[in-house]
Amino acid sequence: MDFTRAQVLQALALAWETGQRHRPSTTGPAAFQLPPIATEDLKPSDPRLDVDVVNNLSENGQKEDSIIQNDLSESFEEEVRAFLSDEEKLHLFDDLTKVNPVTTTTVLKCLQARYTVNLFYTNAGCSLVALNPFQPISCLYSPELMREYHVALRPQDLKPHIFAVAEQTYRNVQSQLDPVNQSIIVSGESGAGKTWTSRCLMKFYASVAASVISPRGNETVERIEKRVLDSNPVMEAFGNACTLRNNNSSRFGKYIQLRLDRFHHLSSASIQTFLLEKTRVAYQAPNERNFHIFYQITKGATAEERLEWNLPEGADYRWLPNSERNLDEDCFEVTRDAMFHLGIDCSTQNNIFKVLSGLLHLGNVQFSNPVDESQPCELEDKTKDFVKTAGDLLKIPVEELLESLRIRTITAGKQQQVFKKPCSRAECETRRDCLAKVIYARLFEWLVLVINESIYADPSAWTSFIGLLDVYGFEAFPENNLEQLCINYANEKLQQHFVAHYLKAQQEEYAAEGLQWSFINYQDNQNCLDLIEGNPLSIFSLLNEECRLNRSSNTDLFQTRIEKALSNNQCLSRNKFSKKPNFIISHYAGKVCYQLAAMVEKNKDPIPPELVHVLQNSKDPLLQKLFPMTERNQNSIKTQNRAAVVTVVSKFKGSLEHLMQILNSTTPHYIRCIKPNADCKAMTFKREEVLSQLQACGIVEAITISAAGFPIRIPFQSFTERYEILRKSRGPNKNRMCDKSNYHTAEKEGETLAAGDDKASRSVVFEILQNVVTEQTTAEQTGNRTGNASVYCGKTKVFMANSVLEQLEARRAEVLNEKAFCIQCCWRKFKQKKLVKERWSATVIQAAIRSWLAKSRFQRMRRAANVIKHGWRKWKAKMAALAAAELDEGDEKAFLVPGAPVISAKPPCSLETSWPLRAIIQFWPLGLVLAAAPVTVRGLRRDLSLLASLRVRQRSDCCRVESSSFSCGITSIRALPQGSIRFHCKKSPLHYANVSPHTDACSITGFNQILLDRKKLLPT
């Protein structure tokens, strides 16, 4: 069908009225619209032109098409010029989705403006663009800045930073939105700053995920935090090297899982590594270096350690090129301290460094061609000492070491006959390199195992994790081989994950959910992946098949085979001007030429059994751990049973697929590290290099989709489970109008609503959105769109902008606070009532106990009073009996007149027979007599008064003793004594005999029937 110019202009006018950005249209026909394109990027064959218009133009309408494109170019050029006219404000665009129009020119200008004012992080839709400053920036990664992003209510309102991405992932784990687990994918070219970014992210998580509740838990977190951070210098020392493009290039990939418990505290961690470039131990490209650890031990060892490890200062080693260069990574003490904190003691460290020194000496071993081919290769004279030194350091006998390097053992026939054949000079050097590579690879794997054991925790101790992926960047060197092919394949997989998860999946999901979406073209690298790993034919499959053949590989034939089998793939080509067999792959980041020489052998990665055997017989304890004797039986079984060869690409592909499964089960976050210049110069921004990186990773397309689409997509069930608490948060539904026309619906006219649970879920979602979301652009169900809605209900999911999610979360927090306040009030009321009841109960119990105590005390006192009363009555009766006996005895005797003769008297019958019978008067009445004597007189007068008190008159019924002074005296009922008076010292049996128990003056009763009241007897 041919379109006239008028029809095309009408469609363009409709698109222009609809808006300059791509937005989902919910009602009416899909609006035709072109994405904003820069003038220099607009071509007639540009894939970003809408295929519904351009591809259907007839040949006769090509002139009209060119006119339209010119009109569009002029309009876009005017917009770009208007946007770039105010250069002073370009650095203020911290989010590239706010740029209008979105073109490579405007995006590049904004990044350059921000880079100039030391703003190195910029949001780009779903990803964060990080520009490497190539110089230290003060306070850019300080602990204070970490806390600022962590405690901020809205970290996205702060400046773009890797800490904002880290905090967002940490809060996503806390919010429990599916999927809970998070992943941060750090990608970029070699030297773009991926390793530094991963290091800073680990520091952030280690600082914010610490427990402050229990001291014991805090100690565990600090231990895990310290060991996780200490794993960085160790793995960088053993796995990083200086390359042409980066002084600290990661020569392996790693995926770190930071595992959190149910309180979101760091409980453990795990490190998974991929494809260590072990060939670098024995081969270094020009102007490149070996792994950092070799330079650290040669520069940082003490004099004693040099003597022990046979590393004389100034010695030259073939495997240690460019040792005169001094880098910041050559710090030996930092590596040793980190290894010690990871649980590697000093003796084990010494053993490790001794083995590494042995590898350096092994690299200086050189072979010469023998005179007789039947004899093994000879050693060069200057290298004989290196063989002995290497054998001593590895604790391998020199004869066995030389035999394993120069003689090959062949097992043939059904009877497994063993033959020994001398190796050529090239084979000897290959075996030497293979021995060094296998030792270093096993040592690196053992270090990773030790680190994982030091930070391991039981799976039941953690519930979620945050993953950090740091892989080698895209590489293209003058000579590329299997290592670069695997590295670039890993980057292709990550780019495909980004494309499939964001650029492709999101747009397909919009269409499936009912959004009328104008698809945005993007660069899909699926063809490149099919070329590398596809089935049944791909480069990997042909490589593996070549390795299975029991013959030497011919690179020319292998090149021809690749071209014939994969000629249909447009991503494959070759350099026809090169004499070496090669092939070229068009990667997403550019074309790379790979050399076929030694690629098949590297893929086989053969380890001669003689080398494994000699390492198993080593006396070194570390080598015994790395090469246990149990592997010997396994190797012999594999030799007898020729199974499929496990190649390098097969193992790497399997581990990478496992990694992609983990990433697909998490919520990914992308950090795109950009290298401003290839020379690693500080504050140098080269537009051409930055532009190629932006185009390769699809930043512009991601910005366009982010600006047009919905970044938040939640299924109905998850949405209802999380926000069902908001259904009645603003009053009853009957008092509120439910106008569903305020929200876009995915049903067209004539479609029936989903029955059962889907219908109920949709109604609940509508109710929640209507209760919470207040400011929404209304749109009729049938008609033209009047604006851009920020929330959309699809068939199975809710699509919303970040602002809507923030509004929902804020309202949810308010409702939870209200519920928490209500619960607190009820709980406090219950506690208060319980406290009052407990106080009343305690009062009742106390009253009962006090009553019982008082009653018991009263009863005890009553019993004591009864005892005293009985004792008193008993004593009173006894005293009365004694007094009666004395009176009876006194009646029988006559009182003598002074001077009269003494009349003899009968002694008392039963009273104190041991005393003289003439004078019986006890001592205690005398005390009363003395106490009654006058106290105001002295001398003879007192004596006379005392005698007067003892004077008795004879009566017929009683005796009286009267005082001659003051008319005071003591009245006693005792009988007058006969004859002379004699006192005996016997105390009264009562303790209180001198105390009057009664104050009544009329009372005559008292102790011993004697009344004594001195105050009344004595005159006042």
Side-chain angles (χ1 to χ4, degrees), residues 474-514:
F474 185 83
E475 293 183 351
F477 298 118
E479 291 187 1
N480 304 282
N481 211 289
L482 184 66
E483 295 83 7
Q484 282 69 39
L485 178 61
C486 293
I487 289 172
N488 294 336
Y489 163 65
N491 283 272
E492 288 284 352
K493 292 288 287 185
L494 294 178
Q495 178 64 18
Q496 195 261 350
H497 178 268
F498 174 75
V499 169
H501 182 268
Y502 200 84
L503 301 182
K504 183 179 179 180
Q506 280 197 17
Q507 299 192 77
E508 292 179 352
E509 187 178 22
Y510 291 155
E513 290 290 331

Coordinates of all heavy atoms in Angstrom, one line a residue, residues 474-514:
F474 N 34.9 -5.5 28.4 CA 35.1 -5.9 27.0 C 36.5 -5.6 26.6 O 37.0 -4.5 26.9 CB 34.1 -5.1 26.1 CG 34.1 -5.5 24.7 CD1 33.4 -6.6 24.3 CD2 34.8 -4.7 23.8 CE1 33.4 -6.9 22.9 CE2 34.8 -5.0 22.5 CZ 34.1 -6.1 22.0
E475 N 37.1 -6.5 25.9 CA 38.6 -6.4 25.5 C 38.7 -6.6 24.0 O 38.1 -7.5 23.4 CB 39.4 -7.4 26.3 CG 39.5 -7.1 27.8 CD 40.4 -8.1 28.5 OE1 40.8 -9.1 27.9 OE2 40.7 -7.9 29.7
A476 N 39.6 -5.8 23.5 CA 40.0 -5.9 22.1 C 41.5 -5.5 22.0 O 41.8 -4.3 22.0 CB 39.1 -5.1 21.2
F477 N 42.4 -6.5 21.9 CA 43.8 -6.2 21.8 C 44.3 -6.5 20.4 O 43.6 -7.0 19.6 CB 44.6 -7.1 22.8 CG 44.2 -6.9 24.3 CD1 43.6 -7.9 25.0 CD2 44.4 -5.7 24.9 CE1 43.3 -7.7 26.3 CE2 44.1 -5.4 26.2 CZ 43.5 -6.4 26.9
P478 N 45.5 -6.1 20.1 CA 46.1 -6.4 18.8 C 46.0 -7.9 18.5 O 45.8 -8.3 17.3 CB 47.5 -5.9 18.9 CG 47.5 -4.8 19.9 CD 46.5 -5.3 20.9
E479 N 46.3 -8.8 19.5 CA 46.2 -10.2 19.3 C 45.2 -10.7 20.4 O 45.5 -10.6 21.6 CB 47.5 -10.9 19.4 CG 48.5 -10.6 18.3 CD 49.7 -11.4 18.3 OE1 49.9 -12.2 19.3 OE2 50.6 -11.2 17.4
N480 N 44.2 -11.4 20.0 CA 43.1 -11.9 20.9 C 43.0 -13.4 20.7 O 43.1 -13.9 19.5 CB 41.8 -11.2 20.6 CG 41.9 -9.7 20.7 OD1 41.9 -9.1 21.8 ND2 42.0 -9.0 19.6
N481 N 42.8 -14.1 21.8 CA 42.7 -15.6 21.7 C 41.6 -16.0 22.5 O 40.6 -15.3 22.7 CB 44.0 -16.2 22.1 CG 44.3 -17.5 21.4 OD1 43.7 -18.5 21.6 ND2 45.3 -17.5 20.5
L482 N 41.7 -17.3 23.0 CA 40.5 -17.9 23.7 C 40.1 -17.1 24.9 O 38.9 -17.0 25.3 CB 40.9 -19.3 24.1 CG 39.8 -20.1 24.8 CD1 38.6 -20.4 23.8 CD2 40.3 -21.5 25.3
E483 N 41.1 -16.5 25.7 CA 40.8 -15.7 26.8 C 39.9 -14.5 26.5 O 38.8 -14.3 27.2 CB 42.0 -15.2 27.5 CG 42.9 -16.3 28.1 CD 43.8 -16.9 27.0 OE1 43.9 -16.4 25.9 OE2 44.5 -17.9 27.3
Q484 N 40.2 -13.8 25.5 CA 39.4 -12.6 25.1 C 38.1 -13.1 24.5 O 37.0 -12.4 24.7 CB 40.1 -11.8 24.0 CG 41.2 -10.9 24.6 CD 42.4 -11.7 25.1 OE1 42.8 -12.7 24.5 NE2 43.0 -11.3 26.2
L485 N 38.0 -14.3 23.9 CA 36.7 -14.7 23.4 C 35.8 -15.1 24.5 O 34.6 -14.7 24.5 CB 37.0 -16.0 22.5 CG 35.7 -16.7 22.0 CD1 34.9 -15.7 21.0 CD2 36.1 -18.0 21.2
C486 N 36.3 -15.7 25.6 CA 35.4 -16.0 26.7 C 35.0 -14.7 27.5 O 33.9 -14.6 27.9 CB 36.2 -17.0 27.7 SG 36.4 -18.6 27.0
I487 N 36.0 -13.8 27.6 CA 35.6 -12.5 28.3 C 34.6 -11.8 27.6 O 33.6 -11.3 28.2 CB 36.9 -11.7 28.5 CG1 37.8 -12.3 29.5 CG2 36.6 -10.3 28.9 CD1 39.2 -11.7 29.6
N488 N 34.7 -11.6 26.2 CA 33.7 -10.9 25.5 C 32.4 -11.6 25.4 O 31.3 -11.0 25.3 CB 34.3 -10.6 24.1 CG 35.5 -9.7 24.1 OD1 35.6 -8.9 25.0 ND2 36.3 -9.8 23.1
Y489 N 32.5 -13.0 25.4 CA 31.2 -13.8 25.5 C 30.5 -13.5 26.8 O 29.2 -13.4 26.8 CB 31.6 -15.2 25.4 CG 30.5 -16.2 25.8 CD1 29.3 -16.2 25.1 CD2 30.7 -17.0 26.9 CE1 28.3 -17.1 25.5 CE2 29.7 -17.9 27.3 CZ 28.5 -17.9 26.6 OH 27.5 -18.8 27.0
A490 N 31.2 -13.4 27.9 CA 30.5 -13.0 29.2 C 29.9 -11.6 29.1 O 28.8 -11.4 29.6 CB 31.5 -13.1 30.3
N491 N 30.6 -10.7 28.5 CA 30.0 -9.4 28.3 C 28.8 -9.4 27.4 O 27.8 -8.6 27.6 CB 31.0 -8.4 27.8 CG 32.0 -7.9 28.9 OD1 31.8 -7.0 29.6 ND2 33.1 -8.7 29.0
E492 N 28.8 -10.2 26.4 CA 27.6 -10.4 25.5 C 26.4 -10.9 26.3 O 25.3 -10.5 26.1 CB 28.0 -11.3 24.3 CG 28.9 -10.6 23.3 CD 28.2 -9.6 22.4 OE1 27.0 -9.5 22.5 OE2 28.9 -9.0 21.6
K493 N 26.7 -11.9 27.1 CA 25.6 -12.5 27.9 C 25.0 -11.4 28.9 O 23.8 -11.3 29.0 CB 26.1 -13.7 28.8 CG 26.5 -14.9 27.9 CD 25.3 -15.6 27.3 CE 24.5 -16.3 28.4 NZ 23.4 -17.1 27.8
L494 N 25.9 -10.6 29.5 CA 25.3 -9.5 30.4 C 24.6 -8.5 29.6 O 23.5 -8.0 30.0 CB 26.5 -8.9 31.1 CG 27.2 -9.8 32.1 CD1 28.4 -9.1 32.8 CD2 26.2 -10.3 33.2
Q495 N 25.0 -8.1 28.4 CA 24.3 -7.2 27.6 C 23.0 -7.8 27.1 O 22.0 -7.1 27.1 CB 25.2 -6.8 26.4 CG 24.5 -5.8 25.4 CD 24.2 -4.5 26.0 OE1 24.7 -4.1 27.0 NE2 23.3 -3.7 25.4
Q496 N 23.0 -9.1 26.8 CA 21.8 -9.7 26.4 C 20.8 -9.8 27.6 O 19.6 -9.7 27.4 CB 22.1 -11.1 25.9 CG 20.9 -11.8 25.1 CD 20.1 -12.8 26.0 OE1 20.6 -13.1 27.1 NE2 19.0 -13.2 25.5
H497 N 21.3 -10.0 28.8 CA 20.4 -9.9 30.0 C 19.8 -8.6 30.1 O 18.6 -8.4 30.5 CB 21.3 -10.3 31.2 CG 20.5 -10.2 32.5 ND1 20.4 -9.1 33.3 CD2 19.7 -11.2 33.1 CE1 19.7 -9.3 34.3 NE2 19.3 -10.6 34.3
F498 N 20.6 -7.5 29.9 CA 20.0 -6.2 30.0 C 19.0 -5.9 28.9 O 17.9 -5.4 29.1 CB 21.2 -5.1 29.8 CG 20.7 -3.7 29.7 CD1 20.3 -3.0 30.8 CD2 20.7 -3.0 28.5 CE1 19.9 -1.7 30.8 CE2 20.3 -1.7 28.4 CZ 19.9 -1.1 29.6
V499 N 19.3 -6.4 27.7 CA 18.3 -6.2 26.6 C 17.1 -7.0 26.8 O 15.9 -6.5 26.7 CB 19.0 -6.6 25.2 CG1 18.0 -6.7 24.1 CG2 20.1 -5.7 24.9
A500 N 17.3 -8.3 27.2 CA 16.1 -9.2 27.4 C 15.2 -8.7 28.6 O 14.0 -8.8 28.6 CB 16.5 -10.6 27.6
H501 N 15.9 -8.2 29.7 CA 15.2 -7.9 30.9 C 14.5 -6.5 30.8 O 13.5 -6.3 31.3 CB 16.1 -7.9 32.1 CG 15.4 -7.6 33.4 ND1 15.3 -6.3 33.9 CD2 14.7 -8.4 34.2 CE1 14.7 -6.3 35.0 NE2 14.3 -7.6 35.3
Y502 N 15.2 -5.6 30.0 CA 14.7 -4.2 30.1 C 14.2 -3.8 28.7 O 13.0 -3.5 28.5 CB 15.7 -3.3 30.6 CG 15.2 -2.0 31.1 CD1 14.7 -1.9 32.4 CD2 15.1 -0.9 30.3 CE1 14.2 -0.7 32.9 CE2 14.6 0.3 30.7 CZ 14.1 0.4 32.0 OH 13.6 1.5 32.5
L503 N 15.0 -3.8 27.7 CA 14.6 -3.2 26.4 C 13.6 -4.0 25.7 O 12.6 -3.5 25.1 CB 15.9 -3.0 25.5 CG 17.0 -2.2 26.1 CD1 18.1 -2.1 25.1 CD2 16.5 -0.8 26.4
K504 N 13.7 -5.3 25.8 CA 12.8 -6.2 25.1 C 11.6 -6.7 25.9 O 10.5 -6.5 25.5 CB 13.6 -7.4 24.6 CG 12.8 -8.4 23.7 CD 13.7 -9.5 23.2 CE 12.9 -10.5 22.4 NZ 13.7 -11.6 21.9
A505 N 11.9 -7.2 27.1 CA 10.9 -7.8 27.9 C 9.9 -6.7 28.3 O 8.7 -7.0 28.4 CB 11.5 -8.4 29.1
Q506 N 10.3 -5.5 28.7 CA 9.4 -4.5 29.1 C 8.4 -4.1 28.0 O 7.2 -4.0 28.2 CB 10.2 -3.3 29.6 CG 10.7 -3.4 31.0 CD 11.1 -2.0 31.5 OE1 10.7 -1.0 31.1 NE2 11.9 -2.1 32.6
Q507 N 8.9 -3.9 26.8 CA 8.0 -3.5 25.7 C 7.0 -4.6 25.4 O 5.8 -4.4 25.1 CB 8.8 -3.1 24.5 CG 9.7 -1.9 24.8 CD 10.3 -1.4 23.5 OE1 9.7 -0.6 22.8 NE2 11.6 -1.7 23.2
E508 N 7.5 -5.9 25.4 CA 6.6 -7.0 25.1 C 5.6 -7.1 26.2 O 4.4 -7.5 26.0 CB 7.4 -8.3 25.0 CG 8.3 -8.3 23.7 CD 9.1 -9.6 23.6 OE1 9.1 -10.4 24.6 OE2 9.7 -9.8 22.6
E509 N 6.0 -6.8 27.5 CA 5.1 -6.9 28.6 C 4.0 -5.8 28.5 O 2.8 -6.1 28.8 CB 5.8 -6.8 29.9 CG 5.0 -7.0 31.1 CD 5.8 -7.0 32.4 OE1 6.8 -6.3 32.4 OE2 5.3 -7.5 33.4
Y510 N 4.4 -4.7 28.0 CA 3.4 -3.6 27.9 C 2.3 -4.0 26.9 O 1.1 -3.8 27.1 CB 4.1 -2.3 27.4 CG 5.0 -1.7 28.4 CD1 6.0 -0.8 28.0 CD2 4.8 -1.9 29.8 CE1 6.8 -0.2 29.0 CE2 5.6 -1.3 30.7 CZ 6.6 -0.4 30.3 OH 7.4 0.2 31.2
A511 N 2.8 -4.6 25.8 CA 1.8 -5.0 24.7 C 0.9 -6.2 25.2 O -0.3 -6.2 25.0 CB 2.6 -5.5 23.5
A512 N 1.5 -7.1 26.0 CA 0.8 -8.2 26.5 C -0.3 -7.8 27.5 O -1.3 -8.4 27.7 CB 1.7 -9.3 27.1
E513 N 0.0 -6.8 28.3 CA -0.9 -6.3 29.3 C -1.9 -5.3 28.8 O -2.7 -4.9 29.6 CB -0.1 -5.6 30.4 CG 0.8 -6.6 31.3 CD -0.1 -7.5 32.2 OE1 -1.2 -7.0 32.5 OE2 0.4 -8.6 32.5
G514 N -1.9 -5.0 27.5 CA -2.9 -4.2 26.9 C -2.6 -2.8 26.7 O -3.4 -2.0 26.2

